Every structure is written in C-alpha cells, then in structure tokens.
Amino acid sequence: MRLRSPPLFWRTFLLILLLFAACLAAWWPTVRVFEREPRARQIAQQVVSIVNTTRSALVYSDPERRRYLLTDLADNEGIRVVPLEPGDQSVPLPDDPLVSLVTRNVRAKLGSATRLASEVNGVPGMWISFSIDDDAYWAFIDRDLLAGDVGREWVAWAALAAIISLLIAAAIAGLVNRPLAELSRAAVELGAGRTPSSLPDLGPPEIRMVNRSFNRMVDSLDRLERERAILLAGISHDLRTPLTRLRLELEMSDLPQSVRDGMIGDLEQLDSIVRQFLDYARPVGARPPQETDLSGLAVDALSRSRIGATARCRIETTIEPGVRVLGHPTELARALDNMFNNAVQYGRGASGDLDLQLEVRLDGSDAIVAVADSGQGIEPDQIERLVRPFERGDTSRSGSSGAGLGLAIVDRIARAHQGKLQLMVNRPTGLRVELRMPAIEHSGHG
C-alpha cells in the first residue's frame, strides 16, 4: 500500500525540528566539555576539604575522645578513617576525563603521593589516602561525589529548549507555507468554477511572481468566460428569432401534415440546442445560496419531464424525504432537468422500452441524486467524455437531438455547489448519472 505524502506544512515543520535537534545534539557535548573543568575543581575542593578537616580533627582532638569522633564522622558524615596497609587491594578510579581532572587537582593540593581509589579490599566507594606524621590512612567517603546532580538540570533545560523549538518550528513552518496555502485555496476555488480573490503581492520575489502570474491567469480566464458567454448568448438569441418565424410560417402553410410534422420536429430540435447554449452560457451562482429541498426539486423535475406519459416507459423512484442542500434552486432544477432529458434521449434499450430509476438519499454527509437507465450503455473508457462540452457518447448512445451540453451543464452546476458529477456503468446495462453534494445536517423530519 502506498503511503500518503504528508502536507508541506508538516514537512517543513519536521525539517526545522530536525535542524533544532541536530543543533542541540552538537551543543550538548560542547557544554559538557566547557563545564567539566569547573565541576572537577568543585569536586576536588570537596575531597580536599573533607581530608583536611578529618586530619585536623584527628590531630587536634583529645586522644581519649578520638574514638567517639571517628564514630560520629562515620554515622553523620559517611566518612570513615582506616589505616592504610601495604597489602591493601585497591581498584583505581575509572579512566574518565572528569576523573583525571579531579585526580590532578586533588594531588596538586594534598601532594603527588596521594592515592585515589574506587574500591579498597572489596569495599566500593571513594577512597583517598593521607598521612599523619609517619602513619598512612585511608579516608573513605560513601557518597559518590563524581555523580553530580547536573543531569537533572540539563534535562530540564533540554525539555525547555525542545518546547521552545517546537513553537518556533510551528511558527516558521506556518509563515513559510502561508503563501502556498493561499495559492492552494485559490486554485481549489478556480477548479470549482468560482473566481477566487486576488492573491496578495507580498512576500519573497518568487512568491510575488507566482501570485502575479496566477492573478493574471484568473483575469484571463474570467475575461474568456465572459466573452464566451456573450458569444454563445448572442448567437443563441439571434437564432431564436428566425426559428420562431419559420415555426409560424410552417403552421400557416398548406404543406402535407407529415411533411409539416417532420419540419416542426427539426425546428424543435434546433430550439432545444439553442436552449442548451443559453443554459451553458448562463453564469452559475450569481446570488447567495440558500437552503434547498433536494427531494422536492427531484419530484418537481420528474413531473416536468412527463416521463410517466412517455410511451413504453417505466420509472422506479426511491426518494428519501427532507434531503436538503445549500445551493441555488434554479440551477439545481436545471441540472435535474438535464439528467432526466439525458436519460430519456439515450436510455432506451434494444426493445425500445425506457426503464429508469430515480434515487434521492443521504450518504453520510453527502446528498445524492441518481438517475439510472437500462439502455445500451457506453464503454467504461468512454464515460469521461460525456461530461465534456459538445461531446456525446459513441454510436450506441447517439442519434438523438442535443448539442452535447446537457451533462457538461450538470457537471458545472455540481462543481459550483462543492459537489461532483459521477457517471458509472449501470448493471446489467445502461448508465447511472449521480449528482453528489454536501448535505445540510438536520435532526429529523416533521
């Protein structure tokens, strides 16, 4: 399974966060190196102070009370003094840069003959040798002076730095991706058939250049759309006058009835084509959308189509009441009329019968209107062509009147309502035309 690529915001955010983490990882060893010397001096000073204090206490104390002094040091301070024997088994302190600095500082103050060990005769701890007159002793400290409390401080500082890094990374990622997000939203608006607001002429030179080019493209498309609409409307309007005059002259002529009916049928076909041109040229959504009962619109469109009165026609309806959308009732009614007209024109089977299914229902948060026929259908690889302007299906669905604009008008109205038009093969035969739009949530029906 192919993984989805993360959005650009999260890519930028993670990249900046990785940069902060790399800087923190490089900064941590540097800090450890710089804080090693003062920490070593501090530990050495503690060791020297303990040894000197212990030596002074033993030298200047009353010999009769010396034993009580040693007991008090062991109980309260964790310091024991034992004689240093030549046969003592000692383990040196670990080979560490900090330990080396501590050892050097201690010997500088107590003498080069001072010995430091991590274990003597199997007893772990910190052992430091010293002498009183000609007698040698071990000072045993049960506290691990080399394990300082610096770790907790640096964990707190690292956590604070991580939180600040997260906030800064989110702010920088949002700032960097804001122009691209605005461009993406404008492109979605344009793809839905609406004219987006002009992008700001701000930011880096590359962003300004892209925004200017996009604004120019939107202006050009808007101008071409207006010119196309004016051209189609003008041509269609000019054609209707002679068509009306020809219809009137035919009604008043003394031609045979069969000839007259054929010519009137041709004129009605021309009038239908002109009407499609006018519908296609008419802008969608000039007024604010309103809450619309899609179920009622479907029932009205079915009634206007007079499919029930058509010879050899059967229709099956499944209409869920109260399906509501936010849109333009006139445009949605036009879309439903075109869906029915397309089914009537192309949906008859090989026997000449017309079997239709009308479905209006909710599918999650979407409202669906579907019209399916049981005609000869179309090849699946040809379905996409049916929504293109002036395109019709192959020979199995040709031979009927129209300019090939019916489903193109439905598709444009669907996109203007944040919806989409889906065409799929009906089973066992025929075509299913499905209009899907966001529905208005409602608590129930009265």
Side-chain angles (χ1 to χ4, degrees), residues 155-299:
V155 168
W157 279 107
L160 180 61
I163 294 174
I164 295 175
S165 300
L166 287 173
L167 296 177
I168 294 177
I172 294 176
L175 185 63
V176 169
N177 291 291
R178 183 184 302 168
L180 297 178
E182 293 176 351
L183 179 60
S184 176
R185 284 192 293 268
V188 171
E189 288 284 316
L190 185 63
R194 298 182 295 272
T195 301
S197 302
S198 296
L199 296 175
D201 193 7
L202 301 172
E206 295 81 3
I207 296 297
R208 292 202 304 269
M209 183 181 300
V210 171
N211 287 355
R212 290 170 186 169
S213 301
F214 185 84
N215 290 337
R216 284 196 297 269
M217 180 188 69
V218 171
D219 292 339
S220 299
L221 291 175
D222 190 48
R223 185 172 60 254
L224 289 174
E225 180 70 17
R226 289 196 303 268
E227 292 174 354
R228 179 192 59 80
I230 292 173
L231 177 63
L232 289 177
I235 293 175
S236 302
H237 183 271
D238 293 341
L239 284 175
R240 280 203 151 178
T241 301
L243 287 176
T244 303
R245 187 166 55 249
L246 285 173
R247 177 71 179 267
L248 182 60
E249 291 177 356
L250 278 175
E251 294 290 347
M252 299 176 61
S253 68
D254 55 355
L255 292 173
Q257 186 64 36
S258 58
V259 176
R260 185 186 303 169
D261 291 342
M263 296 181 69
I264 289 176
D266 292 339
L267 290 176
E268 289 178 348
Q269 181 175 343
L270 288 173
D271 186 68
S272 174
I273 294 174
V274 170
R275 189 180 303 111
Q276 284 190 351
F277 274 115
L278 289 174
D279 289 342
Y280 191 71
R282 185 180 291 109
V284 179
R287 291 180 296 178
Q290 63 187 61
E291 187 174 328
T292 305
D293 185 0
L294 195 60
S295 302
L297 284 182
V299 172

Side-chain angles (χ1 to χ4, degrees), residues 59-113:
V59 170
Y60 296 108
S61 64
D62 185 356
E64 295 181 359
R65 302 186 62 83
R66 188 172 295 167
R67 183 168 58 88
Y68 298 105
L69 175 62
L70 294 175
T71 302
D72 186 65
L73 287 174
D75 294 340
N76 297 328
E77 302 297 333
I79 301 172
R80 297 206 312 259
V81 177
V82 297
L84 191 155
E85 304 292 343
D88 288 342
Q89 301 294 324
S90 62
V91 177
L93 293 174
D95 186 11
D96 181 82
L98 177 64
V99 173
S100 299
L101 287 174
V102 171
T103 303
R104 188 173 63 194
N105 288 327
V106 169
R107 286 174 176 169
K109 294 184 178 182
L110 295 180
S112 59

Side-chain angles (χ1 to χ4, degrees), residues 53 96 112 131 148 210 226 259 305 309 317 319 357 362 367 374 445:
T53 302
D96 181 82
S112 59
S131 60
V210 171
R226 289 196 303 268
V259 176
S305 68
T317 60
I319 300 177
Q357 295 89 38
L362 288 173
S374 56
H445 309 297

Side-chain angles (χ1 to χ4, degrees), residues 117-189:
S118 62
E119 182 180 316
V120 173
N121 297 329
V123 179
M126 191 164 188
W127 299 80
I128 305 97
S129 68
F130 68 96
S131 60
I132 300 177
D133 295 331
D134 294 330
D135 298 324
Y137 297 92
W138 287 109
F140 169 74
I141 306 172
D142 62 0
R143 301 192 309 271
D144 190 359
L145 298 179
L146 296 176
D149 58 353
V150 70
R152 184 177 299 176
E153 291 184 18
W154 286 113
V155 168
W157 279 107
L160 180 61
I163 294 174
I164 295 175
S165 300
L166 287 173
L167 296 177
I168 294 177
I172 294 176
L175 185 63
V176 169
N177 291 291
R178 183 184 302 168
L180 297 178
E182 293 176 351
L183 179 60
S184 176
R185 284 192 293 268
V188 171
E189 288 284 316

